[in-house]
Amino acid sequence: MRKLPSIKTGCKILIICEGFEEYDYITKLKECGVWSSAYNIKPRNAKSIDNIIAIYQNEYQNSNYDLVIILCDTEILPYEQFCKLREAINSFHGNNAADKLIIFANPCTMQIILSHFDKVKLMSNSKTQNSPLIKKLTGVADYIAEENQRKAIMKHINAANYLHMKSNLKGIAVEYDKVPSTNVVFWFNLFESENTKWVKETNKEIEK
């Protein structure tokens, strides 16, 4: 069993973010102070789902964090890159660790972001297809995930509509092969908890 770093400023959790949207979103939620101070959460931008496994392996083996997890999209059927990532995580640990380590959104993270503003069910990860709804809910037109557009959306996210997001996602599927689906509420509830025992328990599970 690998040694975990000593906890001085809260449980250190690294969230490897698939891309800029995920990184910006986690960074914004940290700024909103919606999670317990029992955790020191740091996002890292992998800039592609293909880069995640190498980053994960390196960070896990260096033991700089109490837990290393992943935030990414499933994309659309047949979920090739997402399933490849799951298989790589499982192979690395020799068990079904992916189930314990990945925060996902099907078809995309925008499903979570837009849920801050309304109850939505995205059926596609196409920015062109989702653009009218993004404009309606955030005022950002012709969304193609440019930096200024992402920043404009993040300005609308706050602690109050964080609670709306969680409420709006109630009842949504939590199986990654369902459209839409996400397990993000489960994880965010953990981040709100003062009880950090789940971090050690998760490590025990993936180290079996």
Side-chain angles (χ1 to χ4, degrees):
M1 186 178 295
R2 73 191 183 112
K3 292 178 65 178
L4 297 178
S6 58
I7 300 172
K8 297 179 181 179
T9 57
C11 278
K12 296 176 67 177
I13 298 177
L14 178 68
I15 302 180
I16 304 173
C17 301
E18 176 182 348
F20 290 95
E21 286 180 337
E22 292 80 9
Y23 177 84
D24 290 351
Y25 181 56
I26 295 300
T27 300
K28 180 62 179 182
L29 291 182
K30 283 188 61 181
E31 292 174 359
C32 290
V34 294
W35 298 326
S36 169
S37 59
Y39 309 96
N40 181 0
I41 295 174
K42 178 183 177 181
R44 177 172 173 180
N45 188 355
K47 300 182 181 178
S48 169
I49 194 171
D50 294 327
N51 297 331
I52 290 177
I53 185 59
I55 295 172
Y56 176 83
Q57 291 172 338
N58 181 66
E59 294 290 358
Y60 181 86
Q61 291 172 330
N62 284 339
S63 299
N64 292 324
Y65 297 91
D66 297 284
L67 187 65
V68 181
I69 60 178
I70 295 158
L71 171 59
C72 65
D73 299 341
T74 66
E75 302 292 340
I76 56 176
L77 279 170
Y79 312 128
E80 287 185 32
Q81 290 176 298
F82 181 73
C83 289
K84 182 180 178 181
L85 173 62
R86 284 177 52 84
E87 290 168 4
I89 292 291
N90 288 342
S91 176
F92 177 72
H93 286 287
N95 53 38
N96 294 322
D99 291 333
K100 306 280 185 182
L101 298 172
I102 300 178
I103 308 172
F104 67 83
N106 182 346
C108 57
T109 302
M110 190 55 68
Q111 166 69 43
I112 303 168
I113 295 171
L114 292 183
S115 294
H116 280 258
F117 315 112
D118 202 356
K119 198 163 191 173
V120 301
K121 291 187 176 181
L122 299 187
M123 304 306 292
S124 170
N125 65 339
S126 166
K127 291 179 176 60
T128 301
Q129 186 169 328
N130 295 332
S131 181
L133 183 59
I134 293 172
K135 181 180 180 181
K136 176 184 176 182
L137 296 179
T138 70
V140 176
D142 303 317
Y143 184 76
I144 54 173
E146 291 183 341
E147 183 178 5
N148 65 314
Q149 294 177 317
R150 300 193 314 268
K151 286 183 176 180
I153 291 178
M154 292 304 129
K155 286 181 180 178
H156 294 293
I157 289 177
N158 54 50
N161 60 39
Y162 169 83
L163 298 178
H164 293 319
M165 174 272 297
K166 292 179 63 181
S167 177
N168 286 334
L169 288 174
K170 282 183 179 178
I172 197 171
V174 293
E175 298 85 9
Y176 75 81
D177 56 351
K178 301 290 177 61
V179 187
S181 63
T182 181
N183 62 349
V184 73
V185 174
F186 168 81
W187 282 96
F188 286 0
N189 284 341
L190 290 177
F191 297 163
E192 293 170 26
S193 173
E194 297 292 328
N195 188 341
T196 64
K197 287 179 60 178
W198 66 271
V199 174
K200 288 186 178 180
E201 291 169 356
T202 300
N203 277 297
K204 287 180 182 178
E205 286 294 318
I206 66 177
E207 290 165 356
K208 284 183 178 179

